[in-house]
Amino acid sequence: ALISAIQRGDEAGIESCLEELFQFLNNPNFDIAKIKAYAVEVYLSVRRRADVNGEKTSQNEVDEILKSSSLCGIKRVFQREMHKMAQERRQRNQYSGNKLIYKVEQVVEAEMSNKDLSLNYIASKRLFVNAAYLGKMFAEVKKEKFARYLTRKRMERARELLIFSPNLLIQEVSIQTGFGCNTQYFCRVFKNWTGYTPSQFREQFRL
């Protein structure tokens, strides 16, 4: 549970696990030397399994645990270090998530005209990741569900084409923005999004 809390960056979960651990260690049958030995083993195991960096740093903390004169002192080391580990994992998760979402954005820009473009398509055909995981990560990073993001990007592209390519047929705009030859559906989505039909929009915002 402690490992999972650190990997999630769950501060409250870490505190709960540490309370349980130190209640166990607060045993009159344990002398301080035994507690220190156990604490060092737990600390090194957690650090290794939580996949955080810094061998030299871990030795510093081991020394600090061994030099502690009380259970409270050992607990303070654990609290400080477990929360540092959680912060490192949060930063790493955020960086990994941002890189992944950047790749999603690149695929959307490159394949805007692909009528099969979807979260499942990108996950399975382009990034080779789990679609549910990708959707969750996308929503966390972008604060927007992928389906809405894709529609928004397609409508933005459609508006650009309607304004800056005045000779382009509405059907061609539909094709270039991923709606294929289903011009009627494209027009309905466009009006729901902008309040105008494509023809009205082109007339209203003609340069």
Side-chain angles (χ1 to χ4, degrees), residues 161-173 202 206:
L161 291 172
L162 289 167
I163 293 173
F164 298 111
S165 302
N167 296 322
L168 203 63
L169 296 175
I170 301 300
Q171 184 179 33
E172 185 59 32
V173 176
R202 173 173 273 169
R206 185 187 298 275

Side-chain angles (χ1 to χ4, degrees), residues 44-60:
L44 292 176
S45 176
V46 167
R47 191 173 189 89
R48 183 177 64 255
R49 292 173 60 198
D51 188 25
V52 293
N53 299 320
E55 279 187 29
K56 185 175 180 181
T57 302
S58 68
Q59 186 56 51
N60 292 338

Side-chain angles (χ1 to χ4, degrees), residues 37-152:
Y38 184 83
V40 166
E41 288 302 317
V42 170
Y43 174 76
L44 292 176
S45 176
V46 167
R47 191 173 189 89
R48 183 177 64 255
R49 292 173 60 198
D51 188 25
V52 293
N53 299 320
E55 279 187 29
K56 185 175 180 181
T57 302
S58 68
Q59 186 56 51
N60 292 338
E61 273 61 75
V62 166
D63 291 342
E64 193 173 351
I65 290 169
L66 294 175
K67 290 175 183 177
S68 295
S69 58
S70 67
L71 187 61
C72 288
I74 297 172
K75 185 178 181 180
R76 281 194 295 271
V77 175
F78 267 72
Q79 287 175 317
R80 183 188 71 224
E81 295 306 314
M82 299 300 131
H83 288 296
K84 281 169 62 177
M85 290 181 205
Q87 183 179 19
E88 181 182 326
R89 284 305 300 247
R90 278 198 305 273
Q91 290 171 344
R92 191 189 306 177
N93 291 344
Q94 183 178 24
Y95 176 69
S96 298
N98 286 340
K99 282 179 64 180
L100 188 62
I101 300 316
Y102 176 67
K103 291 178 181 178
V104 172
E105 292 172 329
Q106 286 182 309
V107 174
V108 169
E109 287 300 317
E111 301 193 37
M112 182 76 71
S113 62
N114 181 356
K115 60 185 178 62
D116 295 322
L117 190 61
S118 66
L119 186 69
N120 284 332
Y121 171 86
I122 294 173
S124 62
K125 303 293 186 182
R126 292 293 178 261
L127 301 184
F128 309 106
V129 297
N130 180 271
Y133 168 77
L134 183 61
K136 181 181 178 183
M137 184 65 69
F138 190 92
E140 287 179 359
V141 172
K142 300 293 291 184
K143 311 302 180 189
E144 181 178 33
K145 289 187 176 181
F146 176 80
R148 179 177 173 80
Y149 169 82
L150 179 58
T151 301
R152 177 168 62 79

Side-chain angles (χ1 to χ4, degrees), residues 151-159 179 189-190 193:
T151 301
R152 177 168 62 79
K153 298 302 287 186
R154 281 177 161 163
M155 293 300 99
E156 288 172 0
R157 177 72 60 85
R159 290 198 296 266
F179 291 87
V189 173
F190 189 89
W193 197 267

